């Protein structure tokens, strides 16, 4: 059952398409993340669900009700703003009670539900404080409690973690996700942080320039990206340009002959992932591709190192090597062999705008 | 041991930081003192000293026959004011006009200030200029303008009579209504600017949060916008009220000779009949009334919205 449904929704500002023909079904209790680079229309999409922006075309359905033309106060969408947008003149408890008072609940019910919501976010001891007397993380939890208290049909989160420091962000991430599971909340979150998106979502919607590029689970996006943009945006991608000479044979612009997985003859881009490549001092047997190259640069990342290897004057790849200690790491200037199975590469049509690595 | 050294080090730096902060505070205090000194001197010389002298005058006696002030210590001038219904009437009328003007300014000014604060228009600065524009025109010129509008042969009456809606001209000129309209026009910009600067600092997202929680616009206004805009409301209200209480040119020009308010009354005593002690007493009564009402309004609002 679709709790939330976007039906060919578009938003135009003059000639500019902020959101273009977005169709999306969100099931009851599902956590969907809208992911994409800055300016791709994520916030606009979310605000159309909340009712702050009216779509220029298409329809929004929330809990089996068409809400496209309804103002925000007639929808039942709980929104957590990036800035939290707490009411500065009201205490924590009064902030949480606000939505319930608007729904004209009985005083006693309001008190219990405020206490419940504050308990969920573990802030019951700060109920009397004013927002300015709270830390950023606490304010964020008040905003969450305030949105949860109204028992929304859908919870909308616009980059809820972007104002928190890195460590807190990790914690709150888990916290929000657990709360969402426990309460069975249908949730749409917006982020441009792919790690955040990958760790939290049931399903991801990758957007670019106002359009949905691909909808799917983490594995779908990572293993089977629909296009070059998704391949570059989700996970790390490297792109070798060239052409497919015959199905299974790819020649780079630098002249390397590579084995690839199928493909139709013509210009193409071969996408590889650094963690799928292997590196060794001698030719790698058992792999479809094994090429000699020179180590040009190494960046040490702790758990792993990125080894940049030049394979031809115009082809360079990055190989991610796990740092296990003991085994001799490659050195800059050394000659190495890089290999991968044909199935590790994916072919895309050229063009588009791959974000460079 | 290692633990001990790591705990003392921050303590040392904290102490050093406190020292630096204290020095900086001292420096800041000195600079602040230097910055406020000229203004303080100006206020003392320009306002306090005349006030003290004025208060002293208000206790003096006035010899009517010789139009002379005689040194004395008496409350006769104050008694004269509060025992004569004519003067009480002037005070009541002044209060009524000031309160009405303030209320109208608030009702008209809030929506205007809100639009100005929220507009994304490129012409925002131009709009702000338009709000202030009335202040560029002096009181006398403005009053002349109002006369052409309000007079028995003015634009309003001419139009209404031309349309056959009325047969005899309405009396607008030289009425309290004319004075209220006139003062409102002068005071509105002050109200709008006070409100606009405060509303501008209320995040749009806070309003949206209220909407998303189920508040319709009126509820949002009552529960979020109004309480948050209150400092601006208070500032604007006080400003317009004080300006209304002390209005001089507009009541004289639009109210005519028979319409008395406190401002013209004070001036009349000083310049007209040369009765400085009584003029001084009226000044003090006007000032005290204004001050008391302002403080009372402040207290009421603070009690109501304090938390
Ligand atoms: N009121 C508006 N008028 C014109 N263009 C707008 C308006 N609001 C948004 N846009 C444009 O629509 C596009 C999408 O904006 P949106 O805020 O949805 O981006 P986003 O994906 O949330 O980006 P970010 O990650 O930076 O928040 C942007 O290019 C923006 O410039
Ligand atoms: Mg955004």
């Amino acid at each position: 059952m679709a709790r939330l449904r976007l039906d060919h929704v578009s938003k135009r500002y003059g000639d500019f398409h902020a959101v273009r023909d977005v169709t999306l079904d969100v099931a009851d209790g599902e956590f969907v993340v809208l992911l994409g680079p800055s300016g791709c229309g994520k916030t606009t999409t979310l605000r159309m669900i909340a009712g702050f922006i009216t779509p220029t075309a298409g329809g929004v359905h929330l809990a089996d009700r068409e809400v496209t033309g309804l103002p925000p106060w007639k929808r039942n969408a709980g929104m957590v703003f990036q800035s939290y947008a707490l009411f500065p003149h009201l205490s924590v408890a009064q902030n949480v009670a606000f939505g319930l008072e608007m729904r004209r609940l009985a005083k006693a019910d309001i008190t219990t539900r405020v206490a419940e919501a504050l308990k969920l976010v573990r802030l019951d001891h700060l109920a009397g404080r004013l927002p300015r007397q709270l830390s950023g993380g606490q304010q964020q939890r008040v905003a969450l409690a305030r949105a949860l208290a109204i028992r929304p049909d859908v919870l909308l989160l616009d980059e809820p973690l972007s104002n928190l420091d890195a460590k807190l962000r990790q914690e709150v991430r888990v916290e929000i996700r657990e709360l969402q599971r426990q309460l069975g909340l249908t949730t749409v979150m917006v982020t441009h942080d792919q790690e955040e998106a990958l760790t939290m979502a049931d399903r991801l919607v990758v957007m670019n320039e106002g359009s949905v590029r691909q909808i799917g689970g983490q594995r779908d996006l990572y293993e089977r990206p629909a296009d070059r943009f998704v391949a570059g945006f989700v996970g790390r991608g490297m792109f070798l340009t060239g052409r497919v000479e015959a199905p299974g044979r790819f020649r780079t612009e630098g002249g390397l002959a590579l084995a690839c997985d199928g493909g139709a003859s013509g210009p193409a881009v071969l996408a590889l992932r650094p963690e799928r490549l292997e590196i060794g001092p001698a030719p790698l047997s058992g792999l479809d591709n094994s090429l000699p190259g020179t180590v040009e640069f190494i960046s040490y990342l702790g758990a792993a190192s990125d080894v940049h290897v030049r394979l031809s004057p115009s082809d360079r790849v990055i190989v991610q090597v796990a740092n296990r200690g003991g085994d001799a790491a490659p050195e800059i200037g050394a000659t190495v062999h890089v290999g991968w199975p044909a199935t590790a590469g994916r072919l895309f049509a050229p063009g588009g705008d791959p974000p460079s690595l | 041991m290692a633990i001990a050294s790591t705990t003392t080090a921050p303590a040392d730096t904290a102490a050093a930081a406190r020292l630096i902060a204290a020095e900086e505070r001292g420096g800041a205090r000195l600079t602040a003192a230097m910055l406020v000194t000229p203004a303080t001197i100006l206020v003392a010389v320009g306002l306090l000293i005349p006030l003290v002298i004025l208060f002293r005058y208000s206790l003096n006696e006035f010899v009517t026959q010789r139009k002379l002030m005689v040194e004395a210590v008496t409350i006769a001038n104050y008694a004269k004011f509060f025992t004569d219904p004519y003067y009480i009437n002037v005070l009541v009328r002044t209060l009524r006009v000031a309160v009405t003007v303030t209320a109208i300014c608030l009702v008209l000014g809030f929506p205007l200030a809100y639009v100005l604060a929220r507009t994304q228009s490129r012409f925002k600065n131009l709009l702000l200029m338009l709000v202030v524009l009335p202040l560029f025109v002096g009181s006398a010129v403005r009053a002349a303008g109002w006369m052409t509008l309000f007079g028995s042969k003015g634009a309003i009456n001419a139009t209404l009579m031309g349309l056959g809606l009325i047969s005899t001209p309405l009396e607008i000129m030289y009425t309290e209504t004319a004075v209220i309209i006139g003062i409102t026009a002068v005071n509105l910009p002050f109200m709008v600017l006070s409100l606009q600067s405060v509303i501008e600092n209320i995040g749009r997202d806070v309003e949206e949060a209220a909407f998303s929680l189920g508040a319709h616009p009126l509820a949002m206004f009552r529960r979020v916008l109004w309480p948050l805009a209150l400092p601006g409301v208070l500032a604007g209200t006080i400003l317009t009220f004080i300006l209304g209480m002390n209005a001089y040119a507009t009541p004289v020009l639009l109210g005519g000779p028979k319409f008395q308010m406190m401002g013209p009354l004070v001036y009349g005593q000083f310049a007209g009949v040369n009765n400085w002690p009584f003029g001084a007493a009226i000044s003090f009564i006007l000032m005290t009334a204004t001050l008391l009402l302002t403080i009372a309004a402040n207290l009421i609002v603070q009690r109501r919205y304090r938390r």
Side-chain angles (χ1 to χ4, degrees):
Chain A
M1 178 182 92
R3 180 41 67 122
L4 167 70
R5 195 179 150 71
L6 297 181
D7 191 16
H8 299 284
V9 167
S10 297
K11 179 65 195 180
R12 253 191 7 243
Y13 292 107
D15 292 339
F16 178 76
H17 281 79
V19 171
R20 204 189 289 260
D21 198 28
V22 169
T23 296
L24 173 69
D25 274 338
V26 183
D28 219 347
E30 195 180 17
F31 196 121
V32 166
V33 171
L34 305 183
L35 175 66
S38 187
C40 73
K42 308 178 295 285
T43 299
T44 307
T45 306
L46 201 74
R47 291 172 65 81
M48 285 194 286
I49 302 172
F52 297 124
I53 300 177
T54 317
T56 33
V60 181
H61 303 260
L62 187 55
D64 301 320
R65 199 162 60 117
E66 152 115 49
V67 296
T68 318
L70 286 187
W73 56 91
K74 289 189 179 160
R75 306 180 183 199
N76 193 29
M79 178 124 176
V80 174
F81 293 78
Q82 186 172 356
S83 57
Y84 313 142
L86 298 178
F87 305 125
H89 59 304
L90 300 180
S91 71
V92 167
Q94 286 170 328
N95 262 279
V96 179
F98 188 91
L100 304 174
E101 283 164 12
M102 290 303 130
R103 281 164 179 71
R104 302 192 187 287
L105 262 63
K107 260 233 160 65
D109 293 345
I110 293 178
T111 316
T112 31
R113 272 172 71 171
V114 167
E116 243 173 59
L118 285 177
K119 198 159 190 155
L120 276 177
V121 297
R122 295 181 287 108
L123 279 181
D124 21 352
H125 59 296
L126 298 180
R129 290 248 189 114
L130 283 178
R132 62 166 175 276
Q133 300 166 325
L134 300 177
S135 74
Q138 290 166 338
Q139 288 183 22
Q140 206 262 359
R141 272 145 61 194
V142 176
L144 190 62
R146 185 175 69 174
L148 293 179
I150 62 169
R151 302 199 177 138
D153 290 323
V154 63
L155 179 65
L156 305 173
L157 310 164
D158 191 357
E159 312 216 11
L161 310 179
S162 58
N163 287 332
L164 304 177
D165 68 48
K167 193 164 178 309
L168 197 56
R169 204 176 302 170
Q170 307 261 355
E171 288 173 23
V172 177
R173 207 143 83 182
V174 177
E175 223 167 280
I176 290 181
R177 184 68 169 123
E178 280 182 342
L179 212 56
Q180 181 269 336
R181 278 229 180 85
Q182 178 193 334
L183 301 175
L185 279 170
T186 311
T187 305
V188 180
M189 184 175 98
V190 159
T191 182
H192 57 249
D193 180 333
Q194 60 148 307
E195 194 193 319
E196 197 172 295
L198 291 170
T199 51
M200 293 179 82
D202 289 322
R203 223 150 42 103
L204 297 111
V205 178
V206 182
M207 294 181 69
N208 191 32
E209 292 175 342
S211 318
V212 171
R213 291 303 186 88
Q214 190 172 3
I215 302 181
Q218 284 83 337
R219 195 168 285 270
D220 296 326
L221 300 184
Y222 189 77
E223 306 279 353
R224 288 174 295 281
D227 61 18
R228 185 177 167 171
F229 172 81
V230 178
F233 196 75
V234 179
R236 295 201 295 167
M238 294 173 292
F239 300 93
L240 301 177
T241 45
R243 52 188 299 116
V244 177
E245 291 181 331
R249 263 218 343 267
F250 183 84
R251 186 170 292 278
T252 68
E253 275 172 356
L256 301 172
L258 304 174
C260 64
D261 192 18
S265 299
V269 175
L270 181 66
L272 297 169
R273 299 213 183 266
E275 60 275 20
R276 291 290 171 85
L277 305 189
E278 285 179 34
I279 194 167
L284 299 146
S285 57
L287 294 174
D288 303 319
N289 294 296
S290 178
L291 304 151
T294 315
V295 176
E296 283 194 339
F297 183 72
I298 299 176
S299 51
Y300 181 81
L301 304 168
S305 296
D306 279 349
V307 182
H308 299 238
V309 181
R310 175 141 323 269
L311 300 177
S312 84
S314 60
D315 296 305
R316 188 161 100 151
V317 294
I318 300 174
V319 186
Q320 186 180 315
V321 185
N323 290 329
R324 295 206 177 79
D327 39 351
E331 278 172 31
I332 291 176
T335 300
V336 292
H337 291 260
V338 175
W340 65 93
T343 51
R346 287 189 67 86
L347 290 168
F348 295 110
D353 37 13
S356 56
L357 221 126
Chain B
M1 199 54 231
I3 293 164
S5 69
T6 47
T7 48
T8 48
D12 284 350
T13 41
R18 262 201 306 278
L19 213 68
I20 292 166
E23 258 165 39
E24 275 171 1
R25 261 202 311 280
R29 219 180 286 134
L30 207 68
T31 327
M34 266 151 51
L35 287 174
V36 298
T37 305
T40 314
I41 292 171
L42 201 71
V43 168
V45 174
L47 192 64
L48 286 181
I49 295 173
L51 273 183
V52 170
I53 297 172
L54 208 59
F55 184 66
R56 180 67 197 87
Y57 281 3
S58 77
L59 301 178
N60 281 347
E61 253 173 58
F62 182 67
V63 185
T64 321
Q65 301 84 339
R66 286 161 52 207
K67 299 209 166 195
L68 253 183
M69 180 162 75
V70 179
E71 290 264 327
V73 179
T74 165
I75 58 160
N77 294 308
Y78 292 94
K80 177 181 172 191
F81 186 94
F82 285 109
T83 49
D84 189 335
Y86 174 78
Y87 295 122
I88 299 284
N89 221 337
V90 172
L91 178 60
V92 169
R93 180 184 297 134
T94 305
L95 284 169
R96 189 171 60 226
V97 167
V99 169
T100 311
V101 162
T102 305
I104 296 175
C105 281
L106 187 57
V107 171
L108 295 182
F110 202 103
L112 199 56
Y114 184 80
V115 170
L116 279 172
R118 289 289 183 243
T119 182
Q120 307 277 336
S121 165
R122 285 176 288 148
F123 303 114
K124 178 167 179 166
N125 283 329
L126 196 74
L127 291 171
L128 276 172
M129 280 302 281
L130 280 176
V131 169
V132 195
L133 202 62
L135 300 182
F136 283 80
V137 185
S139 309
V141 176
R142 194 190 352 254
W146 288 117
M147 285 177 190
T148 65
L149 205 60
F150 293 153
S152 56
K153 294 196 181 69
I156 292 177
N157 276 317
T159 311
L160 289 178
M161 283 168 80
L163 290 171
L165 292 172
I166 51 170
S167 51
T168 48
L170 290 178
E171 241 179 76
I172 312 173
M173 200 59 203
Y174 306 129
T175 62
E176 193 163 312
T177 313
V179 174
I180 287 174
I181 294 175
I183 302 178
T184 301
V186 185
N187 288 6
L188 194 58
F190 294 98
M191 180 64 91
V192 171
L193 293 183
S194 311
L195 288 171
Q196 183 253 346
S197 62
V198 172
I199 295 174
E200 218 156 59
N201 286 320
I202 303 172
R204 176 80 210 169
D205 55 351
V206 178
E207 291 175 23
E208 287 180 342
F211 289 145
S212 80
L213 289 166
H216 53 87
L218 206 70
M220 187 284 287
F221 174 80
R222 211 171 55 77
R223 294 288 313 274
V224 177
L225 193 56
W226 178 260
L228 287 178
L230 215 56
V233 172
L234 217 53
T237 307
I238 289 172
L239 211 57
T240 38
F241 179 70
I242 292 174
L243 287 170
M245 286 293 282
N246 293 287
Y248 177 78
T250 316
V252 167
L253 292 166
L254 292 184
K258 276 181 283 179
F259 186 89
Q260 269 295 9
M261 278 176 68
M262 291 293 273
L265 189 65
V266 170
Y267 183 76
Q269 290 301 319
F270 276 101
V273 293
N274 213 22
N275 188 342
W276 282 38
F278 191 49
I282 302 174
S283 303
F284 262 87
I285 292 164
L286 174 58
M287 217 161 58
T288 312
T290 310
L291 207 65
L292 284 179
L293 276 163
T294 304
I295 291 170
N298 238 318
L299 286 179
I300 291 169
V301 167
Q302 266 176 18
R303 178 145 325 153
R304 177 103 196 268
Y305 285 93
R306 184 185 46 198
R307 52 145 292 107

